[in-house]
Amino acid sequence: KAGVTQTPRYLIKTRGQQVTLSCSPISGHRSVSWYQQTPGQGLQFLFEYFSETQRNKGNFPGRFSGRQFSNSRSEMNVSTLELGDSALYLCASSANTGFQETQYFGPGTRLLVL
Amino acid sequence: AQSVAQPEDQVNVAEGNPLTVKCTYSVSGNPYLFWYVQYPNRGLQFLLKYITGDNLVKGSYGFEAEFNKSQTSFHLKKPSALVSDSALYFCAVRSYSGGYQKVTFGTGTKLQVIP
């Protein structure tokens, strides 16, 4: 099976712009979670989508949003970019939602905001 | 509040020696504990998890972890370290809070295995 894929792998934006990141989960997986990784804040959970519905949400402002399509692919959008949004954004998929599920991570999208 | 502590920023160990990467946690209710490894410029890879049952959990690449409820710890161990084990290791805890699943990661421990 192909692993989790994320596009693009690298992205440079300027403050105030918006960005959309894409995640394709492992075939058959219905849950997609997004994480932000920065040197200062470490790894933080953004949100989880399962069967096109947001199931869980971390503590991020409303500028961060996401959605999931019927084929389980997910997109994450960040509007009005700030310098502090520069980070590695990781996507993870699992077969189902729930604590017991093993998550498989993609390689990440590295976003640089200038 | 839920928290995870990885008290060591870096652990150095000689190849062939046993290794331990420490993790302690604080959570209301039953903890669901995970270990992940991250190689440079790569995403996280799942190593092992504790949900319930046996306190000694075996995972990928020869790693294991021991859940200790009284000490609220979930230390990662391996009997014999390999140079290829050198990477960044993250401990994480998941629980329910206010109807939502909450995920908290530790700050990570860099493992350096010296040949």
Side-chain angles (χ1 to χ4, degrees):
Chain A
K1 271 186 183 178
V4 178
T5 58
Q6 291 186 246
T7 56
R9 292 293 311 278
Y10 303 92
L11 205 50
I12 300 175
K13 292 285 187 180
T14 56
R15 278 183 300 172
Q17 286 187 311
Q18 75 164 12
V19 66
T20 299
L21 312 181
S22 180
C23 173
S24 293
I26 291 171
S27 177
H29 284 193
R30 295 190 294 162
S31 169
V32 173
S33 297
W34 288 90
Y35 298 86
Q36 182 196 62
Q37 185 176 21
T38 62
Q41 299 297 318
L43 270 161
Q44 296 183 284
F45 171 68
L46 280 154
F47 30 66
E48 177 195 11
Y49 284 86
F50 178 75
S51 293
E52 302 179 66
T53 302
Q54 188 180 86
R55 293 296 299 266
N56 295 287
K57 187 176 182 300
N59 190 26
F60 275 79
R63 299 186 297 108
F64 292 81
S65 63
R67 59 177 175 168
Q68 187 180 35
F69 302 95
S70 59
N71 62 357
S72 294
R73 188 177 71 84
S74 176
E75 287 182 348
M76 189 192 86
N77 185 274
V78 187
S79 63
T80 319
L81 283 166
E82 301 177 0
L83 295 179
D85 297 333
S86 294
L88 180 66
Y89 290 89
L90 295 166
C91 157
S93 78
S94 58
N96 287 292
T97 186
F99 299 149
Q100 74 282 1
E101 293 294 317
T102 297
Q103 292 187 323
Y104 297 88
F105 284 79
T109 293
R110 189 166 294 279
L111 172 65
L112 177 61
V113 182
L114 301 176
Chain B
Q2 178 173 295
S3 66
V4 176
Q6 292 182 243
E8 300 155 319
D9 289 337
Q10 181 159 334
V11 169
N12 297 321
V13 63
E15 187 177 24
N17 281 4
L19 69 87
T20 299
V21 182
K22 295 180 181 177
C23 172
T24 58
Y25 65 90
S26 173
V27 64
S28 301
N30 294 322
Y32 296 81
L33 298 158
F34 299 78
W35 275 103
Y36 298 92
V37 60
Q38 186 175 34
Y39 296 98
N41 300 314
R42 303 267 296 274
L44 273 68
Q45 294 181 35
F46 168 79
L47 279 178
L48 50 79
K49 64 183 176 185
Y50 173 82
I51 303 299
T52 187
D54 196 350
N55 289 345
L56 184 64
V57 179
K58 293 191 183 296
S60 307
Y61 312 120
F63 284 94
E64 58 188 29
E66 186 165 11
F67 171 64
N68 188 317
K69 189 172 184 178
S70 63
Q71 297 185 2
T72 62
S73 67
F74 189 56
H75 300 333
L76 181 70
K77 299 182 180 185
K78 188 174 181 181
S80 179
L82 300 173
V83 173
S84 57
D85 293 330
S86 299
L88 189 57
Y89 291 80
F90 290 95
C91 178
V93 63
R94 296 162 81 171
S95 69
Y96 266 123
S97 176
Y100 285 95
Q101 184 183 150
K102 192 174 169 66
V103 182
T104 303
F105 285 85
T107 51
T109 298
K110 183 178 180 181
L111 174 66
Q112 190 76 34
V113 180
I114 303 161

